Amino acid sequence: MDLAINRFSIDAQEVAAVTDCLTKWYAANDSVRHLWAVQERGSLIAVYITLEPTSDGDDALPVWFAKGHQWANELCVLTRCEVQLQLLGSNYERPEISAEAMIAELSWRDPWISE
């Protein structure tokens, strides 16, 4: 897990608390393969995820449609921030994120993806 702190909007203790919440949430949701969290503006956090494909194919959309809103709500409650949850289309897709804005990157379920 990589952690970078954006000191413009939230302080180091808040970043650590948000990162801890995201780590626990990631651990509790086995279908999430990779997670990136980015400090956007103010208290808005953009969370990008990739999902495990379903057992009967490569399509992760059924899980996204079933859980996406619930997960976004859970993340808002846990982090006490406004969260914008976004699904990335491929397990090899990586969002364009500046190091200064990165709050967390979680990928222990997908260790072969190079950082």
Side-chain angles (χ1 to χ4, degrees):
M1 175 179 76
D2 295 332
L3 172 66
I5 298 171
N6 178 353
R7 299 186 188 274
F8 297 112
S9 299
I10 57 179
D11 66 27
Q13 287 181 334
E14 290 173 311
V15 169
V18 167
T19 300
D20 185 53
C21 291
L22 291 168
T23 302
K24 289 176 183 173
W25 183 86
Y26 176 82
N29 290 283
D30 292 341
S31 57
V32 177
R33 181 179 277 185
H34 205 121
L35 178 149
W36 294 268
V38 181
Q39 176 68 41
E40 292 287 330
R41 62 194 183 313
S43 65
L44 176 64
I45 298 171
V47 177
Y48 301 91
I49 61 173
T50 61
L51 299 176
E52 290 288 334
T54 58
S55 60
D56 62 349
D58 290 336
D59 191 10
L61 287 178
V63 174
W64 174 250
F65 290 136
K67 299 276 191 167
H69 290 292
Q70 174 189 337
W71 287 341
N73 290 334
E74 287 174 2
L75 289 168
C76 286
V77 169
L78 290 170
T79 62
R80 298 183 185 157
C81 295
E82 182 183 354
V83 173
Q84 181 180 41
L85 184 63
Q86 298 181 32
L87 176 67
L88 297 178
S90 157
N91 286 319
Y92 303 104
E93 187 176 354
R94 182 182 172 98
E96 299 271 336
I97 301 171
S98 68
E100 300 83 38
M102 180 78 72
I103 293 174
E105 181 174 356
L106 304 168
S107 62
W108 65 74
R109 288 190 191 99
D110 210 2
W112 55 86
I113 292 181
S114 60
E115 302 297 329

